[in-house]
């Protein structure tokens, strides 16, 4: 397993094992770059960051997952395929994969991010996973990237097919809010960062209640994440209400 330049990192056993099992060729310098968060780069003399690799990896991931969905589910309409893809390549999904592989401790972070638990933040884990995909694509070409993505994300596709509500959190949230007699859900969104690297934060609001924040690299991602948080909370309330009603009628 290669070691990157600059500060040494300790690759997680799960990451090392998967690279070896899939016979992935991963250039040491590209891996090091993929693990370099902008907070670390800015504190150490404006080093190159992983953002360009993240941009590349995001596109590669989208193409591979889209092709898999298109060929695996020939009877699904475009809307169904789009919802599946959005779920599988979401920041939440990427963050979960990053945690499973133990990516967090490998990431080079600035002191501020280290102090606030940046190695476990979904947004940072998701961005780093995309950067790693970009590094694998440049190191070993499309076959290596496909092997890596299919191994990690095909099972998530299979799971997403059975998610139901999770395929479109905003629609599902509106349904559960209506069932509870709550006002129509609206979203409050703020954005930050330069034009080439925008970050969005969203809150799902119904009446006087708000849920979030959801984060994403675009407004839609942030809103979906906020909607997921709201749905999880309100679905518990709906279940409790239904259980109480059933008990009262018993």
């Amino acid at each position: 397993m290669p070691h990157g330049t600059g500060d040494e990192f300790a690759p997680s056993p799960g990451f090392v094992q998967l690279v070896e099992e899939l016979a992935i060729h991963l250039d040491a310098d590209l891996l090091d770059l993929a693990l370099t968060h902008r907070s670390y780069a800015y504190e150490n003399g404006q080093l190159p960051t992983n953002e360009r690799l993240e941009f590349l990896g995001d596109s590669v991931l989208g193409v591979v997952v889209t092709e898999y969905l298109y060929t695996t589910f020939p009877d699904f309409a475009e809307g169904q395929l789009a919802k599946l893809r959005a779920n599988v390549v979401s920041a939440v999904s990427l963050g979960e994969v990053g945690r499973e592989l133990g990516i967090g401790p490998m990431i080079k972070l600035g002191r501020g991010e280290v102090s606030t638990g940046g190695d476990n933040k979904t947004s940072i884990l998701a961005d780093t996973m995309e950067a790693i995909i970009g590094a694998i694509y440049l190191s070993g070409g499309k076959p290596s990237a496909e092997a890596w993505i299919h191994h990690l994300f095909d099972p998530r596709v299979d799971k997403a097919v059975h998610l139901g509500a999770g395929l479109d959190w905003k629609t599902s949230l509106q349904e559960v809010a209506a069932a509870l007699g709550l006002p129509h859900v609206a979203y409050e969104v703020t954005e930050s960062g330069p034009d080439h690297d925008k970050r969005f934060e969203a809150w799902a609001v119904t009446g006087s209640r708000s849920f979030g924040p959801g984060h994403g690299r675009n407004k839609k991602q942030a809103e979906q994440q906020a909607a997921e948080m709201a749905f999880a909370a309100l679905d518990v309330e709906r279940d409790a209400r239904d259980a109480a009603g059933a008990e009262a009628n018993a």
Side-chain angles (χ1 to χ4, degrees), residues 105-118:
M106 296 168 55
I107 305 172
K108 294 182 178 181
L109 297 168
R111 290 184 295 273
E113 286 292 354
V114 170
S115 67
T116 58

Side-chain angles (χ1 to χ4, degrees), residues 114-188:
V114 170
S115 67
T116 58
D119 64 347
N120 193 42
K121 290 181 179 178
T122 294
S123 59
I124 291 178
L125 287 167
D127 291 347
T128 304
M129 282 300 303
E130 289 178 338
I132 289 172
I133 291 171
I136 290 173
Y137 179 81
L138 292 179
S139 299
K142 186 178 179 182
S144 288
E146 287 181 330
W148 181 262
I149 292 168
H150 282 307
H151 181 87
L152 292 173
F153 292 93
D154 286 4
R156 306 190 79 82
V157 170
D158 298 337
K159 180 181 178 181
V161 170
H162 303 289
L163 270 180
L167 287 180
D168 185 354
W169 291 114
K170 291 179 69 174
T171 299
S172 298
L173 174 59
Q174 294 290 3
E175 292 172 353
V176 72
L180 290 170
L182 297 173
H184 184 81
V185 180
Y187 294 87
E188 297 178 355

Side-chain angles (χ1 to χ4, degrees), residues 12-210:
S12 75
F15 181 82
V16 173
Q17 181 179 354
L18 185 57
V19 169
E20 293 176 349
E21 284 181 359
L22 298 178
I24 298 293
H25 171 63
L26 186 49
D27 179 83
D29 291 336
L30 284 173
L31 176 58
D32 184 73
L33 181 59
L35 297 170
T36 303
H37 187 259
R38 63 179 178 274
S39 63
Y40 178 90
Y42 295 163
E43 288 183 9
N44 290 271
Q46 299 294 318
L47 298 172
T49 75
N50 64 4
E51 291 172 351
R52 283 171 52 84
L53 282 176
E54 173 197 338
F55 170 78
L56 175 62
D58 176 60
S59 295
V60 174
L61 175 64
V63 168
V64 173
V65 170
T66 299
E67 182 179 6
Y68 179 72
L69 291 171
Y70 183 85
T71 57
T72 305
F73 304 103
D75 297 328
F76 280 21
E78 181 272 340
Q80 291 174 286
L81 295 174
K83 289 179 181 179
L84 279 170
R85 181 179 60 192
N87 178 277
V88 173
V89 304
S90 70
V92 172
S93 176
L94 282 158
E96 290 173 352
V97 172
R99 290 187 185 94
E100 291 167 3
L101 288 177
I103 296 298
M106 296 168 55
I107 305 172
K108 294 182 178 181
L109 297 168
R111 290 184 295 273
E113 286 292 354
V114 170
S115 67
T116 58
D119 64 347
N120 193 42
K121 290 181 179 178
T122 294
S123 59
I124 291 178
L125 287 167
D127 291 347
T128 304
M129 282 300 303
E130 289 178 338
I132 289 172
I133 291 171
I136 290 173
Y137 179 81
L138 292 179
S139 299
K142 186 178 179 182
S144 288
E146 287 181 330
W148 181 262
I149 292 168
H150 282 307
H151 181 87
L152 292 173
F153 292 93
D154 286 4
R156 306 190 79 82
V157 170
D158 298 337
K159 180 181 178 181
V161 170
H162 303 289
L163 270 180
L167 287 180
D168 185 354
W169 291 114
K170 291 179 69 174
T171 299
S172 298
L173 174 59
Q174 294 290 3
E175 292 172 353
V176 72
L180 290 170
L182 297 173
H184 184 81
V185 180
Y187 294 87
E188 297 178 355
V189 182
T190 59
E191 62 181 76
S192 60
D195 289 341
H196 71 278
D197 187 31
K198 288 290 187 184
R199 291 295 187 270
F200 293 80
E201 182 176 282
W203 292 82
V205 181
T206 172
S208 62
R209 304 177 66 180
S210 61

Side-chain angles (χ1 to χ4, degrees), residues 190-238:
T190 59
E191 62 181 76
S192 60
D195 289 341
H196 71 278
D197 187 31
K198 288 290 187 184
R199 291 295 187 270
F200 293 80
E201 182 176 282
W203 292 82
V205 181
T206 172
S208 62
R209 304 177 66 180
S210 61
F211 304 87
H215 296 95
R217 290 186 302 280
N218 57 54
K219 181 180 177 182
K220 182 178 179 181
Q221 283 183 346
E223 289 181 346
Q224 283 286 348
Q225 194 175 111
E228 179 180 358
M229 296 175 181
F231 178 86
L234 295 182
D235 197 38
V236 171
E237 294 183 17
R238 179 172 60 178

